[in-house]
């Protein structure tokens, strides 16, 4: 059992010769020489239109991946935390194996799967006291970042509740796909999937922790919106525009005035009726 | 699974149906709802009180009936189209029917609260009907949130309400199977209203649909795909779609007071509800009560409505339960055909009393 010698490669010989006779290869006249031509460096054939399209697509895809990586790295720096390892879309995409198989490298799940808990520049900067003439703005910005993180964490907690949902749906649906569900047609298959999902969803949604987590999510979202409203209002006032608070105050006064007016109208009607009663001719009394 | 040939056949039939469906949908034109003839008799701000014109061959008799619908959807669901119209059914029975159309609140209505709706709008609508007809009492039919408001009104003004009918109306908001109430329990309603002002109808609609997301979001359209080539059924489906997604915003203070009083504090059961500094007690309801419920109601489960029997002070309490859902109670063929007859018979048997 010996090592089989490499087969003789005439091209390698040509390349060897090229090393010693580069002038022979660079002289254009030699390119026409049939003895030299096989050993000449091969010029790449121009790509076919199909290949050009593929190249363009690959370039676009690599550009997209680089953007996604940049975004992923940026979010890593925001310190979302361990919670987001099992973030929204991973359990959803693993719930139905067929979808995962159709999109094994779907960019969205790849986007989230790369997150790592890291020290956050935002966590450090938001803890710094605000300084200088723009301190109020700095405080608003810091609070905005904190509220945004709070919302993302609340959303992560909310989606965590659906982990058993996705696992159970996946198991039950896999049984149907494997043939044990006795499905006769595609419509029936869809309805079975819907019923499974609805049943598992109700299990999650009726659990006590759901209302707590749902409330936390809504409250976090509204807190963020509330803070944004306040910041917008400050900018509006700086620019001399009427603010939301001023309009609300006007509406409130208008509403109270309307209610007061209606009440007065009612009292006037009652008084009118009393006056009508008093003005009725009295029945003739005894003399 | 079917053989390959059967699958291919199914696929061809499906595609043919969908192609025809596109043609059918393209020829639909404007989706018209609320087709029963009516005339406005009172309006205030965005509110309009309509009187439905009696049918030519039937003269309405008896005490007028005012329908008080919820604020979260448009009231034309009770008159969606002639074959699915609670109003038509009531008119066929010879009842004199009125409907309060709340309109679409704007930011100017942000500070209207429960008092404004119950002691303001409903009270003035009732007065308008009393002046129009020249009678001393009306019958009220409250539906869903409108039923809760009707209960409050009837407890405050028993002298103006002869008979009270509630349909799919929540009374006990803290029953374990009330998913909506459980979800709303932990929401900071003060923060929500202070931030949003009027509460978006789109947001509320999304929450209602998320109670059964797969059935209401996916299965419904699977069913639609089966009938997509039938013009009449497509038109009826589109009418329902129009209504489902036609959600007015809710006045901010009304949302705050309603959510706090009922969803958070369950004031019908616990007591202590005040409207215009007057305490609302369900035991002050002495008039005859008819409580209509839907067995498969996921928004207002029957358990949320049944406590009315024990909380109300009336000696004349009747319950009807139909085998439908929350919306099916007014649009299903079975319930929709029977309910107007039941209501009419119940009202007529109590017409001469009081």
């Amino acid at each position: 059992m010996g090592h089989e010698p490499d087969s003789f490669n005439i091209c390698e010989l040509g390349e060897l010769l090229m090393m010693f006779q580069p002038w022979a290869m660079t002289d254009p006249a030699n390119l026409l020489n049939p003895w030299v031509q096989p050993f000449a460096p091969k010029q790449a054939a121009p790509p076919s239109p199909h290949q050009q399209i593929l190249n363009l697509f690959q370039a676009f895809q690599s550009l997209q991946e680089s953007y996604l990586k940049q975004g992923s790295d940026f979010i890593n720096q925001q310190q979302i935390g361990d919670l987001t390892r099992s973030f929204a879309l991973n359990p959803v995409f693993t719930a139905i194996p067929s979808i995962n198989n159709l999109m094994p490298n779907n960019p969205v799940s790849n986007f989230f799967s790369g997150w790592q808990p890291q020290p956050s520049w935002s966590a450090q900067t938001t803890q710094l006291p605000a300084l200088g003439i723009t301190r109020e703005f700095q405080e608003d910005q810091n609070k905005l970042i904190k509220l945004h993180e709070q919302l993302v964490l609340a959303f992560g907690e909310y989606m965590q509740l659906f982990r058993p949902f996705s696992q159970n749906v996946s198991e039950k649906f896999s049984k149907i796909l494997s043939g044990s569900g006795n499905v006769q047609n595609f419509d029936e298959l869809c309805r079975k999937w819907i019923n499974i999902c609805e049943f598992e969803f109700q299990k999650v949604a009726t659990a006590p922790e759901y209302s707590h987590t749902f409330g936390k999510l809504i409250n976090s979202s509204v807190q963020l919106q509330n803070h944004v409203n306040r910041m917008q209002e400050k900018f509006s006032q700086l620019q001399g525009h009427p603010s939301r608070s001023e309009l609300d105050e006007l509406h409130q006064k208008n509403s109270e005035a309307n209610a007061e007016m209606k009440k007065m109208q009612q009292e006037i009607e009652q008084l009118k009726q009393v006056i009508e009663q008093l003005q009725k001719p009295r029945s003739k009394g005894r003399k | 699974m079917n053989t390959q040939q059967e699958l291919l056949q199914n696929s061809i039939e499906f595609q043919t149906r969908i192609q025809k469906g596109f043609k059918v949908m393209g020829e639909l034109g404007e989706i018209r709802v609320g087709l029963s003839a009516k005339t406005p008799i009172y309006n205030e701000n965005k509110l309009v009180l309509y009187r439905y014109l009696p049918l030519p061959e039937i003269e309405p008799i008896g005490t007028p009936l005012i329908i008080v619908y919820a604020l979260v959807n448009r009231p034309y669901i009770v008159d969606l189209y002639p074959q699915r119209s609670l109003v038509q059914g009531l008119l066929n029975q010879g009842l004199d029917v009125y409907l309060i159309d709340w309109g679409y609140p704007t930011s100017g209505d942000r500070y209207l609260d429960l008092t404004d709706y119950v002691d303001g709008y409903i009270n003035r609508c009732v007065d308008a009907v009393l002046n129009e007809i020249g009678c001393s009492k009306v019958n009220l039919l409250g539906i869903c949130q409108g039923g809760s408001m009707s209960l409050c009104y009837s407890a405050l003004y028993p002298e103006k309400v002869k008979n009270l009918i509630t349909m799919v109306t929540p009374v006990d908001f803290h029953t374990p199977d009330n998913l909506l109430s459980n979800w709303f329990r932990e929401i900071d309603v003060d923060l929500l209203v202070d931030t949003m002002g009027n509460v978006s109808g789109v947001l509320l609609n999304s929450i209602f649909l998320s109670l059964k997301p797969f059935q209401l979001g996916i299965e419904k359209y699977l069913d639609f795909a089966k009938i997509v080539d039938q013009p009449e059924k497509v038109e009826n489906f589109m009418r329902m779609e129009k209504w489902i997604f036609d959600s007015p915003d809710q006045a901010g203070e009304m949302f705050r007071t309603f959510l706090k009083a009922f969803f958070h504090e369950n004031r019908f059961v616990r007591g202590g509800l005040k409207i215009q500094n007057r305490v609302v007690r369900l035991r002050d309801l002495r008039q005859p009560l008819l409580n209509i419920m839907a067995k498969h109601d996921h928004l207002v489960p029957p358990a949320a409505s049944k406590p009315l029997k024990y909380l109300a002070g009336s000696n004349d309490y009747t319950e009807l339960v139909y085998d439908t859902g929350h919306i099916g109670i007014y649009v299903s063929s079975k319930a929709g055909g029977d309910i107007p007859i039941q209501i009419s018979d119940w009202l007529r048997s109590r017409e001469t009393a009081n």
Side-chain angles (χ1 to χ4, degrees):
Chain A
M1 230 173 325
H3 173 67
E4 204 170 2
D6 292 334
S7 58
F8 178 71
N9 188 334
I10 194 164
C11 291
E12 285 179 353
L13 176 62
E15 283 169 8
L16 194 64
L17 287 173
M18 275 165 59
M19 283 168 59
F20 292 102
Q21 297 183 6
W23 57 268
M25 297 301 111
T26 55
D27 187 349
N30 289 326
L31 290 176
L32 298 175
N33 186 332
W35 292 103
V36 174
Q37 213 171 19
F39 309 116
K42 301 262 185 283
Q43 288 187 4
S48 65
H50 175 67
Q51 188 60 46
Q52 285 177 22
I53 292 170
L54 281 178
N55 291 345
L56 195 63
F57 178 74
Q58 279 166 6
F60 175 72
Q61 201 170 17
S62 61
L63 190 67
Q64 200 177 28
E65 280 169 8
S66 76
Y67 282 146
L68 284 173
K69 184 164 186 321
Q70 284 177 36
S72 182
D73 289 343
F74 174 73
I75 289 184
N76 280 343
Q77 293 171 15
Q78 298 294 318
Q79 195 193 5
I80 304 301
D82 272 343
L83 201 63
T84 55
R85 285 175 173 281
S86 56
F87 201 82
L89 295 171
N90 276 338
V92 171
F93 277 113
T94 54
I96 300 172
S98 56
I99 290 181
N100 216 25
N101 289 337
L102 285 173
M103 298 188 288
N105 293 315
N106 76 76
V108 190
S109 70
N110 289 344
F111 181 73
F112 289 116
S113 64
W115 286 356
Q116 301 283 339
Q118 288 179 8
S120 162
W121 64 265
S122 69
Q124 292 166 353
T125 54
T126 52
Q127 285 164 11
L128 292 173
L131 298 169
I133 196 169
T134 61
R135 64 179 303 279
E136 201 176 318
F137 176 74
Q138 290 169 42
E139 283 176 349
D140 285 343
Q141 286 289 99
N142 288 345
K143 192 173 177 188
L144 184 69
I145 292 168
K146 282 180 186 166
L147 287 173
H148 182 258
E149 285 188 353
Q150 184 183 299
L151 172 62
V152 173
L153 285 171
F155 187 60
E157 270 183 53
Y158 178 76
M159 293 311 293
Q160 276 277 59
L161 292 176
F162 286 92
R163 256 202 148 160
F165 164 82
S166 61
Q167 285 164 359
N168 294 342
V169 167
S170 176
E171 278 170 21
K172 289 182 179 178
F173 196 60
S174 298
K175 282 181 190 167
I176 294 173
L177 286 176
S178 64
S180 62
N182 194 25
V183 173
Q184 298 302 315
N185 53 50
F186 187 67
D187 181 68
E188 208 176 310
L189 181 70
C190 287
R191 286 177 199 278
K192 279 193 184 285
W193 179 77
I194 288 167
N195 290 339
I196 291 168
C197 289
E198 197 66 74
F199 178 77
E200 293 298 327
F201 174 80
Q202 293 300 321
K203 272 166 66 178
V204 174
T206 51
E209 57 268 21
Y210 183 90
S211 61
H212 174 72
T213 312
F214 178 75
K216 197 172 168 186
L217 174 63
I218 298 292
N219 293 340
S220 303
S221 172
V222 175
Q223 274 177 351
L224 179 62
Q225 183 61 49
N226 188 272
H227 187 65
V228 168
N229 285 356
R230 286 174 195 275
M231 289 177 72
Q232 280 178 338
E233 191 155 311
K234 284 179 188 174
F235 285 124
S236 295
Q237 285 177 336
L238 283 173
Q239 290 171 354
H241 296 152
S243 66
R244 162 95 182 267
S245 299
E246 287 169 357
L247 288 171
D248 279 351
E249 200 180 321
L250 286 172
H251 286 319
Q252 187 171 12
K253 286 181 179 172
N254 187 40
S255 186
E256 286 167 3
N258 273 339
E260 196 63 35
M261 188 179 68
K262 290 290 178 194
K263 194 177 161 191
M264 286 166 65
Q265 280 176 340
Q266 211 168 358
E267 287 171 1
I268 290 170
E269 285 300 317
Q270 287 169 357
L271 284 171
K272 278 184 181 175
Q273 285 172 7
V274 169
I275 291 169
E276 273 178 27
Q277 287 293 324
L278 290 172
Q279 284 178 341
K280 274 183 183 172
R282 291 180 189 175
S283 55
K284 289 183 181 175
R286 286 179 295 180
K287 283 190 182 174
Chain B
M1 288 287 254
N2 285 338
T3 61
Q4 200 172 15
Q5 203 166 4
E6 284 171 348
L7 277 173
L8 186 61
Q9 186 61 31
N10 283 341
S11 174
I12 292 169
E13 283 170 10
F14 177 75
Q15 289 197 29
T16 310
R17 200 163 55 236
I18 294 296
Q19 274 180 340
K20 194 176 170 194
F22 274 115
K23 187 171 179 294
V24 165
M25 285 193 283
E27 290 168 357
L28 267 181
E30 189 192 346
I31 306 297
R32 295 181 61 214
V33 293
L35 300 174
S36 298
K38 57 186 185 283
T39 181
I41 66 159
Y42 174 75
N43 62 75
E44 181 185 342
N45 195 5
K46 315 295 191 300
L47 176 151
V48 180
L49 173 68
Y50 289 104
R51 183 185 189 187
Y52 282 93
L53 300 180
L55 299 173
E57 62 276 11
I58 302 175
E59 185 64 30
I61 51 173
T63 308
L65 175 69
I66 303 178
I67 299 176
V68 182
Y69 196 75
L71 303 173
V72 294
N73 283 108
R74 297 288 293 133
Y76 57 73
I77 187 66
V78 299
D79 185 32
L80 198 60
Y81 56 96
Q83 291 79 22
R84 296 281 189 272
S85 173
L86 174 66
V87 166
Q88 274 291 311
L90 294 171
L91 291 172
N92 285 340
Q93 298 299 318
L95 295 177
D96 191 7
V97 183
Y98 295 76
L99 176 78
I100 300 178
D101 185 339
W102 302 108
Y104 294 87
T106 61
S107 53
D109 302 310
R110 184 219 181 304
Y111 288 95
L112 294 175
D113 62 6
L114 186 61
T115 300
D116 293 309
Y117 276 89
V118 173
D119 203 25
Y121 285 153
I122 295 180
N123 192 29
R124 288 191 283 275
C125 286
V126 168
D127 287 342
V129 172
L130 295 177
N131 291 335
E132 168 96 357
I133 302 294
C135 57
S136 61
K137 290 190 179 188
V138 298
N139 293 326
L140 278 187
L141 167 55
I143 302 176
C144 193
Q145 185 188 25
S148 302
M149 291 195 285
S150 300
L151 286 170
C152 295
Y153 180 76
S154 303
L156 290 175
Y157 293 95
E159 70 279 6
K160 291 187 185 179
V161 180
K162 190 182 182 100
N163 300 294
L164 176 61
I165 305 165
T166 51
M167 271 177 78
V168 293
T169 295
V171 174
D172 183 354
F173 286 75
H174 285 189
T175 52
D177 55 352
N178 192 337
L179 200 57
L180 191 65
S181 174
N182 289 339
W183 288 6
F184 277 155
R185 207 77 56 81
E186 307 247 1
I187 290 178
D188 186 346
V189 66
D190 288 324
L191 178 67
L192 183 75
V193 173
D194 290 342
T195 302
M196 294 180 70
N198 287 347
V199 179
S200 160
V202 174
L203 172 65
L204 289 175
N205 207 15
S206 307
I207 294 176
F208 297 145
L209 291 174
S210 66
L211 290 169
K212 282 190 171 183
F214 296 92
Q215 285 180 4
L216 299 175
I218 304 174
E219 191 174 32
K220 183 176 68 165
Y221 297 104
L222 280 182
D223 293 333
F224 178 57
K226 287 187 169 180
I227 54 143
V228 72
D229 56 345
Q230 299 170 50
E232 196 180 321
K233 290 188 178 179
V234 167
E235 193 171 3
N236 294 338
F237 180 89
M238 291 302 179
R239 287 182 172 124
M240 273 305 298
E241 278 292 276
K242 177 175 173 152
W243 176 80
I244 285 168
F245 295 104
D246 187 3
S247 301
D249 295 347
Q250 200 152 148
E253 291 309 308
M254 173 62 186
F255 186 82
R256 189 202 307 265
T257 47
F258 194 89
L259 216 78
K260 275 187 165 178
F262 297 115
F263 283 89
H264 288 185
E265 295 162 8
N266 205 16
R267 287 289 173 195
F268 275 150
V269 173
R270 291 174 53 195
L273 175 65
K274 280 192 177 179
I275 289 179
Q276 196 72 295
N277 297 322
R278 294 168 63 187
V279 177
V280 174
R281 285 182 291 252
L282 290 186
R283 66 171 182 268
D284 292 337
L285 291 171
R286 304 285 179 193
Q287 52 276 86
L289 285 172
L290 173 61
N291 193 8
I292 302 174
M293 292 167 272
K295 194 174 171 187
H296 306 291
D297 194 336
H298 66 290
L299 282 165
V300 183
S305 197
K306 287 193 176 203
L308 182 62
K309 181 178 181 180
Y310 309 105
L311 293 169
S314 173
N315 294 324
D316 183 358
Y317 174 86
T318 311
E319 241 177 44
L320 289 174
V321 182
Y322 285 88
D323 193 15
T324 64
H326 186 77
I327 297 170
I329 196 106
Y330 7 87
V331 295
S332 79
S333 52
K334 188 179 173 187
D338 191 51
I339 286 176
I341 298 170
Q342 295 288 337
I343 288 175
S344 168
D345 290 346
W346 186 83
L347 285 173
R348 287 199 200 290
S349 64
R350 288 153 182 82
E351 183 60 33
T352 52
N354 295 332

